Amino acid sequence: MEALEWFVGIDWASEKHRVCLLDGTGRCIGERDVPHGGAALAELCRWLLVATGAPASRIAVAIEVPHGPVVEALLEQGFAVYAINPKQLDRFRDRFSVAGAKDDSRDAYVLGDAVRTDRHLLRRLAVEHSLVIELREFSRLSEELQQEQQRLVNRMREQLWRYYPQALELTDDLTSDWFVALWRLAPTPAKAARLRQATVAQLFKTHRVRRLQADEALDILRRTPLAVAAGTTEAARAHIESLIARLVLIKRQIKAAHRRLDELCAQLEAEDGPGQPFEQRDLAILRSLPGVGRIVQATLLAEAPELVRRRDYEALRTLGGIAPVTRRSGKSCIVIRRLACNKRLSNALFHCAKAAAQHDPVSRQRYDALRQRGHSQGRALRSVADRMLYVLCTLLRRQTLFDPDHAQPALMAAAA
């Protein structure tokens, strides 16, 4: 690997990026503003190569974002690009101005000097596999669609509470097809009073609803309605119709996103050759763990592909918010939850641990022990997730599938 001799800080923005070039002693060689555009970014790369007279591999670039067109343009040209967390930049800035002065030129210089002096503390970026990039986008799209669906459901629940609260007692899942169909048959208490039981029974049979009988549903819908002002029922009904139309579209988009996630994971699993970022067996091992489904698998591969590839347990638990933070000073020692983490990965590990505590006896035993000691549910689940990450990294290194009865043969042999 070639030694790095030149250092660049880029204070990125939406329209213009401030760039500062430093030599090995920290002296500023040049500064310029670079408009955000393909031609301007290509010119930036040429300027850096001409101004330094060095190959791109000997030029280190520091920037606050780990992805985006600026990062991708630099990586494609072979520059050594390092990501700096905004909190790190804020601390680095204090070395130059304790008064808190801040401007674009100063930030670009601080970024360049930070990568010159503290490169070992920063994360070097690399060009990801095209399938991983697409997997990351669809994973995030799926999460955004689910959040939007929940927002629409909350608004729909609010409108039903406004004039038709008994309908909310039928189910908690207001997006289910049978509930939407039933609401369209009886959108108001007045319509519910005239609805035939045979019609509801046929609807339940079509949608395979077994937890509720037609007569029970009608009894709930025909309870004494709320007394509301004239026009309230009609307005709320029109509002719900609009929300349902959007919910139908979002449900279709979520299903399409999930199908694409499955296809991308299958393509990653099918790739098995030298230089490929994932071994064919990695995804099978990941899926074999309890609590790992489509979303957790896609999130792990999309948000931490390099760490999974390296089987880096310590980095995974830190990035996922599992590793605690210790604050020790004199006789004081406080251990708190890590909040500076990847929120998507943290949420995925939380749900993975929750499912593992339900289906894996060892995880359940650990969860119950921590709860009996007075720990909160979140603290107990983070401990379960910590164990699952350790097991995952161990299995990936050994290229072995998860076996819930792994210890049983050894125990039986010892007893014999």
Side-chain angles (χ1 to χ4, degrees):
M1 181 179 294
E2 295 183 271
L4 298 174
E5 301 173 350
W6 300 88
F7 306 94
V8 181
I10 300 181
D11 184 49
W12 71 281
S14 58
E15 296 182 2
K16 289 193 302 184
H17 314 294
R18 186 66 174 177
V19 181
C20 180
L21 174 62
L22 285 68
D23 62 13
T25 65
R27 183 168 59 94
C28 179
I29 302 301
E31 286 185 279
R32 62 167 52 187
D33 287 323
V34 178
H36 187 72
L41 291 176
E43 176 58 31
L44 166 64
C45 295
R46 285 193 294 270
W47 174 68
L48 292 176
L49 295 174
V50 172
T52 61
S57 57
R58 293 193 175 187
I59 304 174
V61 182
I63 190 169
E64 285 183 88
V65 290
H67 50 76
V70 180
V71 173
E72 291 168 6
L74 293 166
L75 288 174
E76 191 172 340
Q77 295 297 321
F79 292 92
V81 184
Y82 291 82
I84 294 184
N85 187 284
K87 286 188 176 181
Q88 286 179 300
L89 175 61
D90 190 45
R91 304 302 187 273
F92 282 130
R93 192 186 296 117
D94 291 341
R95 299 191 303 186
F96 297 88
S97 174
V98 295
K102 181 185 184 303
D103 57 65
D104 294 346
S105 294
R106 187 187 303 272
D107 283 354
Y109 180 82
V110 171
L111 284 163
D113 195 64
V115 76
R116 181 181 70 89
T117 60
D118 297 279
R119 188 167 65 253
H120 60 288
L121 300 176
L122 308 179
R123 178 162 62 101
R124 183 165 179 174
L125 305 177
V127 178
E128 290 293 351
H129 193 283
S130 60
L131 291 178
V132 175
I133 294 174
E134 192 174 356
L135 183 69
R136 181 184 300 125
E137 291 305 315
F138 273 94
S139 173
R140 295 179 178 182
L141 173 62
S142 173
E143 182 179 345
E144 290 172 4
L145 289 171
Q146 288 172 337
Q147 291 173 350
E148 179 63 23
Q149 177 180 260
Q150 188 58 52
R151 283 191 285 267
L152 292 173
V153 167
N154 291 340
R155 291 166 64 184
M156 183 174 173
R157 182 175 284 109
E158 181 182 356
Q159 292 299 321
L160 288 171
W161 176 85
R162 183 182 176 189
Y163 83 104
Y164 203 5
Q166 57 266 42
L168 296 174
E169 299 180 26
L170 296 176
T171 181
D172 292 329
D173 183 12
L174 302 186
T175 66
S176 58
D177 294 338
W178 72 266
F179 179 81
V180 172
L182 180 59
W183 180 86
R184 282 176 168 155
L185 289 175
T188 65
K191 290 286 184 68
R194 299 194 299 270
L195 188 62
R196 295 172 57 240
Q197 182 174 328
T199 303
V200 179
Q202 181 59 42
L203 184 148
F204 283 3
K205 181 178 180 181
T206 302
H207 293 277
R208 300 181 180 180
V209 179
R210 296 184 177 87
R211 58 173 294 273
L212 194 65
Q213 299 300 318
D215 56 343
E216 296 175 3
L218 283 176
D219 288 342
I220 293 173
L221 294 178
R222 289 171 177 172
R223 289 176 184 171
T224 304
L226 289 175
V228 297
T232 299
T233 299
E234 291 73 13
R237 176 181 175 180
H239 197 157
I240 291 175
E241 282 284 5
S242 172
L243 293 172
I244 287 176
R246 282 175 276 176
L247 279 170
V248 170
L249 174 61
I250 284 183
K251 284 185 67 175
R252 188 162 63 245
Q253 291 176 332
I254 289 175
K255 289 180 181 178
H258 286 175
R259 282 197 303 270
R260 187 55 184 159
L261 285 177
D262 292 338
E263 293 170 0
L264 291 169
C265 288
Q267 291 179 43
L268 278 173
E269 190 171 9
E271 295 203 2
D272 185 25
Q276 297 296 348
F278 290 99
E279 297 181 38
Q280 187 177 24
R281 195 168 170 79
D282 281 7
L283 278 90
I285 294 172
L286 188 55
R287 280 198 304 270
S288 70
L289 264 72
V292 175
R294 173 197 293 122
I295 301 300
V296 174
Q297 173 183 262
T299 304
L300 268 170
L301 297 180
E303 302 296 336
E306 180 62 27
L307 303 184
V308 174
R309 192 178 308 137
R310 298 201 317 256
R311 288 75 163 110
D312 194 334
Y313 161 68
E314 294 295 341
L316 276 171
R317 69 196 295 261
T318 300
L319 185 65
I322 302 302
V325 176
T326 302
R327 294 179 178 175
R328 187 189 301 274
S329 178
K331 296 181 180 180
S332 172
C333 181
I334 303 174
V335 180
I336 61 174
R337 177 188 173 188
R338 182 180 296 271
L339 298 178
C341 61
N342 184 307
K343 301 303 181 185
R344 288 186 175 90
L345 184 58
S346 177
N347 291 336
L349 293 176
F350 177 86
H351 292 294
C352 173
K354 192 173 182 180
Q358 295 174 348
H359 300 100
D360 178 38
V362 178
S363 297
R364 184 69 196 184
Q365 184 179 4
R366 172 168 295 201
Y367 174 82
D368 291 338
L370 287 168
R371 292 290 281 161
Q372 290 172 7
R373 287 163 54 185
H375 290 294
S376 66
Q377 181 195 32
R379 166 67 179 83
L381 288 176
R382 285 194 296 276
S383 181
V384 173
D386 196 6
R387 171 185 174 267
M388 297 305 296
L389 282 178
Y390 181 80
V391 170
L392 171 63
C393 292
T394 302
L395 294 177
L396 288 173
R397 283 193 294 269
R398 297 177 181 177
Q399 287 292 286
T400 305
L401 295 176
F402 177 80
D403 180 10
D405 301 321
H406 173 69
Q408 294 302 318
L411 293 175
M412 294 175 63

